[in-house]
Amino acid sequence: MLLAVAMIASCSKQRTFTVEGTIEGGKDSTLYLYNYSLGGIVLIDSAKLGDDGKFSFSPEAPGGPDLYVLRLSNEWINLGVDSTETITVKASWPGMSHNYSISGPDGCEKIRQLAMMHSKLQQQVLEIEQNPSMLGVMGDTVSRLVQQYKDSVFSGYITKAPQSIYAYYALMQTLDHVYQPSHFIFTMDNRQDDRAFRAVATCWKEYYPEWERAQQLFNRVERDITNKRISEARQKQFVDEERIVVSDIIDLSLPDINGKNRTLSELKGKVVLLHFHNFSKPGSGQYILELRELYNRYHDRGLEIYQVSVDDDEHLWRQAVVQLPWVSVYDPSAESCISYNVRQVPDYYIIDRNNALQKRMIQIDNLEKEIEKLL
């Protein structure tokens, strides 16, 4: 009976992991431990630091590899937890986010390296986007930096251990911009991103088949594959670019940010730039900045913009367009792209005051000159 009781007690004992260490300079401050759950950031525990700055948390272990964060004031340290390990952190505050060491599972050190690399990239991107002298080359410069970062992460971390928590962490990293909302760095819109997501999703599905993060990742890849197949099927319906002729518009009726349907035909009497866009694509912020300058220059003379967003993320779209002065509508199905033979975004048409299509982006060398002709 005593043996049976002992076995029951052992089986019912909660599985935990430990995060412990020292934060120098943090006396009387509160340190928080959060879980980056799929449903959002969840507070797990907190501790007030004493003179020695020591802390220790022992929460319930997750059902699979998971992401956590230590936060003190507005600084944080990312953690990767695989099971019931002990993670030891030594840091100093202020500057905790960039000045810490970590020991424990290999994944935590790899996440620290990725966090430092990401922080450097983020700083470089914001400096470029805030530099007026970079206005003409801003988009290309940022794109090159991001691609260099992705190449390094792909070869140095993701392909080496796609089953790891740090490979998953790398795919979940986002980038903030001055002129657009933050977006994922890896987006599955090119071959390398595709390989990265498929490799990690396949491994996680095999290693952690019941874990929610594995299922979320695998479902995302499956959804992307399906969407690409649908897109390829739609491409077969498109006509050749050379067959485009001047004609009346194909009218569109799509909802704006207030849910009101806006039609393209309602803008008859104005010169209209029919613009197809995706705010999640790299370089979008710079592109929108240049479009706004064009709008400010010619709107009083009769120019209007009817911008169709094909973003998957409606929340991102709403954030991006809330301050835009032109007509912004939402078409996540991209049916309007089929109607106008749009194969990739950004793309645009110019429409004269009589609602007739005049030219599209591939036929235009100087957009301002073409607009001036029609005005």
Side-chain angles (χ1 to χ4, degrees):
M1 288 179 64
L2 289 174
L3 179 60
V5 170
M7 290 179 65
I8 293 171
S10 175
C11 290
S12 62
K13 185 178 180 181
Q14 189 181 64
R15 295 171 65 254
T16 63
F17 68 97
T18 300
V19 183
E20 61 184 19
T22 306
I23 309 292
E24 294 181 1
K27 179 184 176 182
D28 294 331
S29 298
T30 301
L31 181 69
Y32 297 92
L33 176 67
Y34 293 92
N35 171 225
Y36 273 128
S37 75
L38 294 181
I41 300 177
V42 178
L43 177 62
I44 301 299
D45 205 347
S46 63
K48 189 172 183 179
L49 300 177
D51 293 339
D52 57 8
K54 289 184 177 180
F55 67 91
S56 181
F57 300 119
S58 294
E60 181 179 0
D66 215 347
L67 297 173
Y68 291 79
V69 63
L70 286 172
R71 183 179 70 82
L72 180 59
S73 185
N74 62 342
E75 298 189 43
W76 58 89
I77 294 173
N78 291 291
L79 307 172
V81 175
D82 285 331
S83 56
T84 57
E85 59 261 299
T86 295
I87 299 168
T88 303
V89 176
K90 293 183 179 180
S92 58
W93 190 85
M96 180 178 81
S97 298
H98 303 90
N99 185 19
Y100 71 94
S101 63
I102 193 164
S103 61
D106 183 52
C108 284
E109 171 57 22
K110 290 292 196 299
I111 286 178
R112 187 194 69 80
Q113 295 170 13
L114 286 165
M116 296 302 102
M117 293 165 59
H118 175 265
S119 178
K120 181 180 178 181
L121 172 67
Q122 181 66 82
Q123 182 179 355
Q124 289 175 321
V125 167
L126 294 179
E127 286 176 354
I128 291 169
E129 293 181 343
Q130 291 171 329
N131 186 350
S133 67
M134 298 292 293
L135 194 58
V137 295
M138 187 183 297
D140 289 341
T141 305
V142 169
S143 295
R144 280 196 300 271
L145 277 175
V146 172
Q147 190 57 53
Q148 289 170 5
Y149 177 82
K150 289 167 69 172
D151 291 343
S152 178
V153 171
F154 180 74
S155 61
Y157 295 85
I158 293 175
T159 59
K160 288 186 175 180
Q163 78 284 1
S164 66
I165 184 61
Y166 59 83
Y168 179 92
Y169 170 79
L171 292 182
M172 297 300 113
Q173 286 184 316
T174 60
L175 198 62
D176 294 328
H177 293 272
V178 175
Y179 303 112
Q180 69 183 88
S182 62
H183 62 76
F184 288 107
I185 296 175
F186 286 86
T187 59
M188 283 194 289
D189 62 357
N190 60 60
R191 183 174 296 180
Q192 185 187 71
D193 285 19
D194 227 30
R195 287 176 59 197
F197 270 95
R198 293 192 191 201
V200 177
T202 301
C203 284
W204 276 56
K205 186 72 170 177
E206 179 180 350
Y207 280 80
Y208 323 107
E210 303 302 322
W211 183 224
E212 59 182 3
R213 288 194 184 275
Q215 295 170 3
Q216 172 239 18
L217 192 60
F218 192 80
N219 290 340
R220 180 175 175 182
V221 170
E222 287 288 289
R223 185 169 62 250
D224 182 70
I225 292 172
T226 301
N227 289 340
K228 284 177 179 175
R229 286 173 180 166
I230 294 172
S231 178
E232 288 170 1
R234 287 173 175 171
Q235 294 290 340
K236 296 177 182 178
Q237 303 174 22
F238 291 155
V239 297
D240 293 337
E241 306 284 357
E242 288 74 15
R243 295 176 60 189
I244 298 173
V245 294
V246 174
S247 63
D248 291 341
I249 62 168
I250 301 168
D251 201 10
L252 300 176
S253 180
L254 294 164
D256 63 13
I257 194 172
N258 298 312
K260 178 183 177 182
N261 271 25
R262 302 295 300 273
T263 63
L264 187 55
S265 58
E266 74 186 52
L267 301 177
K268 185 175 183 179
K270 297 179 179 293
V271 173
V272 178
L273 183 67
L274 171 59
H275 190 271
F276 297 89
H277 194 70
N278 187 324
F279 286 92
S280 66
K281 291 181 75 69
S284 169
Q286 172 60 20
Y287 197 95
I288 292 298
L289 180 64
E290 294 171 358
L291 201 60
R292 190 157 192 163
E293 291 177 353
L294 182 74
Y295 180 87
N296 291 340
R297 193 174 300 123
Y298 293 104
H299 177 63
D300 289 344
R301 294 174 55 187
L303 173 69
E304 189 52 82
I305 297 175
Y306 186 96
Q307 187 170 56
V308 181
S309 166
V310 294
D311 287 83
D312 290 330
D313 188 337
E314 183 176 356
H315 178 68
L316 183 150
W317 167 71
R318 287 182 174 277
Q319 284 186 308
V321 305
V322 67
Q323 298 295 333
L324 296 183
W326 52 75
V327 179
S328 299
V329 294
Y330 187 52
D331 183 19
S333 69
E335 291 293 334
S336 59
C337 291
I338 296 176
S339 299
Y340 277 90
N341 195 19
V342 173
R343 302 188 183 194
Q344 61 181 10
V345 294
D347 198 357
Y348 59 76
Y349 285 85
I350 50 175
I351 301 169
D352 67 21
R353 295 182 188 273
N354 296 314
N355 264 10
L357 295 174
Q358 292 300 317
K359 290 185 179 181
R360 72 178 302 172
M361 187 169 73
I362 62 168
Q363 301 167 314
I364 296 173
D365 293 325
N366 188 314
L367 179 58
E368 287 196 38
K369 287 185 178 180
E370 295 296 336
I371 289 173
E372 285 183 343
K373 288 179 187 177
L374 296 177
L375 288 174

